[in-house]
Amino acid sequence: MAIPRLAFENISKVFPGVKALSDVSFDVAPGETHALLGENGAGKSTLLRILSGVFRASEGEVKVDGTAHQFRNPESARQAGIAMIHQELQQVPHLTVAQNMFLGHSLTRLGGIIIDRREQERRAAEALAMIDPSIDPSVPIRTLKVAQRQVVEIARALLDKATIIAMDEPTSSLTPSEFDRLVEIIERLAASGVSIIYVSHKMDEVFRVCQRATVMRDGKVVGVGVDLKATAPEDVIAMMVGRELLAEEHHSHITDAISVEIRNLTTHRIRDVSFDLHKGEVLSVAGLVGSGRTELLRAICGADRVTSGTVKVDGTMLTLSNPRAAIAAGIGLLPEERKREGIIPGRSVTSNMALPSMARFSRVGIINHRKLKRTAEDLMKRVNLRPFQLDRQIKLFSGGNQQKAIIARWLAAGSRILLFDEPTRGIDVGAKSEIYHLIEELAREGHSVIVVSSELPEVMRVSDRVLVMRDGRIVTELGRGQFSEETIVSHAVGTPDSRVGAA
């Protein structure tokens, strides 16, 4: 038999009080794109950290082309031909794109005295040209959108000419066209003999990109070498979650009552946006990255300065000079970059929940801890926080459970208008189903919800209506009977057919 490009043999990993991995074994062939699947907490990220030299296995070994390795650090893994694209972006904001791509192994000249920035930018531009040539390698990376920074991470892996590339949620912020380019790159890499481990919660991606899959649950392998050409997606999901998911049909709770009226709203990124949001409605905003979707939510919640236009909530005109004014009006935002803008990582779940509403739990500056604990317990039960450890630092929870805690935050604050920006980015299929049902439950209770999502199946699953944005404007409105991926995309990109009847 041919020697596998990569083999995990009886890998176990024990942390104090927790066995994160138990006897994990599988292999990846040269030129194979192999899916590593499982819910958050299944052990995928721990296994990839062992592969990339961040952790050392408690037992077992990793073999590359038949040679056993115990990687001491990420650099030793890189030297063995392993590149890692992390779910959480590993970038230094104030450095340029090229400097980030060569972080840890800068190119130098004059005997290593001077960093050769020109050569770094030239090579970075070559790698970026394979994915997105519009990205300038000389600009600070903090100036890029999330999707563009994700592209930089992928290009950084291509620079190392690795024989094994592990991609942990590489497309969490990519548009469909950007994903199509990534598929082409993956196919070229595979044809050249590069092996790819592909971690994603998006089943359509997995079945398009990968040949086989290893499925994990609770730190163990529950399915190895699964032939994705001969296996149905629902069977793979059943292996992942070990239970039936809640039904996914849409139930509308929209009413005639208008909760939010937006007229001619304009900021530095959106222009002349007008629409109504009804009580009990789930309204989605679709469009390409850069179309103004996120900026629209930021304007409504007072995070971006409004230059003209009006926002009314329940008939009352708002002056959205800052987020505090929006919170007082009952508006809550679940931001796109959850880790950076949505949580204080080192604080507990309870503390994060109470951030905008601490006045409710205090009197003359003294916190009523009993009331705070009781409210946290009630709300975290409602959103099904797992594990149910309210004093635990929120950074130790999975992305899906962090998102549940942020939802609970706005329920604690009494928010009636909820703005969800990419609510399931980086979240596993089980938690994603729970988030959908929480959104529906909120609508049934009379909350008004706006959802921004790059996943068109998600948009069509949760929405009563869809607004499509392009170049900072709303170009059309689609009722539920008009939904299709093709229709939404055609309006988002501005094809000739989409302009007929556009709003």
Side-chain angles (χ1 to χ4, degrees):
M1 294 180 64
I3 296 174
R5 171 58 45 78
L6 172 68
F8 294 100
E9 296 188 355
N10 307 111
I11 297 291
S12 294
K13 179 62 179 176
V14 179
F15 296 104
V18 178
K19 190 165 190 178
L21 296 175
S22 180
D23 200 31
V24 172
S25 298
F26 68 94
D27 58 58
V28 181
E32 178 185 4
T33 304
H34 191 104
L36 181 59
L37 304 177
E39 291 191 275
N40 286 337
K44 308 185 303 298
S45 293
T46 300
L47 188 66
L48 293 186
R49 288 187 178 104
I50 290 172
L51 176 64
S52 61
V54 176
F55 294 159
R56 296 193 70 171
S58 302
E59 298 177 18
E61 59 187 10
V62 178
K63 290 184 177 179
V64 177
D65 293 323
T67 301
H69 292 267
Q70 278 282 355
F71 299 125
R72 303 179 306 279
N73 50 48
E75 179 61 22
S76 62
R78 192 179 75 84
Q79 290 177 356
I82 295 166
M84 180 75 196
I85 300 173
H86 297 273
Q87 179 180 353
E88 300 300 330
L89 302 178
Q90 307 293 298
Q91 297 166 337
V92 181
H94 68 274
L95 296 182
T96 68
V97 169
Q99 286 171 327
N100 271 280
M101 291 174 66
F102 283 92
L103 205 59
H105 49 99
S106 300
L107 301 180
T108 60
R109 55 191 175 88
L110 298 179
I113 298 174
I114 299 175
I115 293 176
D116 193 340
R117 292 190 177 186
R118 181 175 296 179
E119 181 63 13
Q120 286 187 168
E121 289 179 4
R122 186 189 69 78
R123 294 195 192 180
E126 287 181 352
L128 287 165
M130 299 177 66
I131 313 172
D132 187 349
S134 69
I135 296 176
D136 183 349
S138 67
V139 303
I141 203 160
R142 67 173 181 271
T143 64
L144 303 184
K145 295 280 291 183
V146 175
Q148 293 174 310
R149 285 160 50 195
Q150 186 76 46
V151 168
V152 171
E153 285 290 279
I154 295 168
R156 180 182 178 183
L158 299 179
L159 277 173
D160 287 336
K161 296 181 173 57
T163 58
I164 299 166
I165 300 178
M167 297 183 173
D168 190 1
E169 299 288 352
T171 66
S172 58
S173 294
L174 300 187
T175 65
S177 61
E178 289 167 336
F179 171 62
D180 289 339
R181 289 198 294 272
L182 176 62
V183 172
E184 294 174 4
I185 292 165
I186 288 174
E187 289 173 347
R188 290 201 300 269
L189 290 170
S192 69
V194 174
S195 299
I196 295 169
I197 298 179
Y198 194 92
V199 177
S200 177
H201 297 307
K202 301 176 183 179
M203 288 296 104
D204 54 338
E205 284 187 9
V206 167
F207 276 79
R208 178 177 172 185
V209 171
C210 303
Q211 294 83 52
R212 294 191 302 155
T214 293
V215 183
M216 297 183 66
R217 189 170 71 243
D218 299 328
K220 301 177 181 178
V221 171
V222 295
V224 63
V226 178
D227 183 354
L228 295 177
K229 302 299 181 187
T231 308
E234 54 267 28
D235 293 333
V236 174
I237 292 172
M239 277 190 275
M240 291 169 57
V241 302
R243 64 185 189 278
E244 289 188 14
L245 293 180
L246 299 169
E248 291 298 325
E249 63 272 10
H250 176 78
H251 299 285
S252 179
H253 303 284
I254 188 172
T255 68
D256 292 332
I258 295 175
S259 60
V260 181
E261 300 172 69
I262 292 177
R263 295 292 180 269
N264 309 115
L265 198 65
T266 300
T267 70
H268 67 297
R269 295 296 297 274
I270 62 173
R271 294 175 289 169
D272 201 32
V273 170
S274 298
F275 64 91
D276 292 334
L277 177 65
H278 293 252
K279 290 183 179 178
E281 180 178 20
V282 180
L283 174 68
S284 283
V285 183
L288 303 180
V289 172
S291 63
R293 304 169 306 168
T294 292
E295 290 78 9
L296 174 59
L297 297 193
R298 288 179 59 84
I300 296 171
C301 76
D304 285 352
R305 189 173 74 89
V306 174
T307 55
S308 63
T310 60
V311 177
K312 289 183 180 179
V313 173
D314 294 331
T316 301
M317 190 78 69
L318 300 186
T319 302
L320 295 177
S321 55
N322 55 58
R324 185 170 296 176
I327 292 170
I331 298 172
L333 172 69
L334 287 81
E336 176 183 11
E337 292 200 66
R338 179 176 58 248
K339 300 264 192 228
R340 188 164 67 90
E341 299 178 344
I343 63 172
I344 299 179
R347 290 194 181 182
S348 69
V349 168
T350 298
S351 177
N352 272 272
M353 181 209 73
L355 283 174
S357 56
M358 189 58 76
R360 289 188 56 199
F361 306 106
S362 60
R363 186 175 181 183
V364 294
I366 300 174
I367 298 174
N368 185 335
H369 289 282
R370 181 177 297 178
K371 181 180 180 181
L372 176 58
K373 181 180 179 182
R374 184 169 61 248
T375 301
E377 288 176 345
D378 290 344
L379 289 176
M380 294 308 165
K381 286 176 183 175
R382 177 179 175 183
V383 300
N384 193 27
L385 182 77
R386 297 195 304 267
F388 196 77
Q389 298 173 2
L390 306 188
D391 293 330
R392 189 186 194 198
Q393 290 180 330
I394 197 169
K395 69 181 180 182
L396 301 178
F397 286 81
S398 68
N401 283 288
Q402 289 176 6
Q403 198 76 312
K404 292 176 190 177
I406 299 173
I407 294 172
R409 168 190 300 165
W410 297 119
L411 296 179
S415 301
R416 306 179 307 281
I417 300 152
L418 298 173
L419 314 178
F420 288 74
D421 195 354
E422 301 289 358
T424 64
R425 183 165 70 91
I427 290 176
D428 65 64
V429 289
K432 183 177 290 192
S433 178
E434 291 183 282
I435 296 295
Y436 293 163
H437 283 268
L438 277 171
I439 290 174
E440 184 175 308
E441 183 181 340
L442 291 168
R444 179 171 54 80
E445 293 174 353
H447 292 80
S448 302
V449 182
I450 301 179
V451 174
V452 164
S453 177
S454 300
E455 296 188 42
L456 295 185
E458 178 168 282
V459 167
M460 296 189 292
R461 160 68 181 86
V462 302
S463 309
D464 297 303
R465 280 189 301 152
V466 173
L467 303 178
V468 183
M469 294 190 71
R470 185 174 69 246
D471 298 328
R473 298 181 183 272
I474 294 175
V475 294
T476 196
E477 173 188 316
L478 301 172
R480 187 152 185 88
Q482 300 170 293
F483 292 178
S484 74
E485 293 192 32
E486 293 78 9
T487 301
I488 294 172
V489 169
S490 68
H491 285 288
V493 301
T495 59
D497 289 344
S498 72
R499 298 191 181 103
V500 179

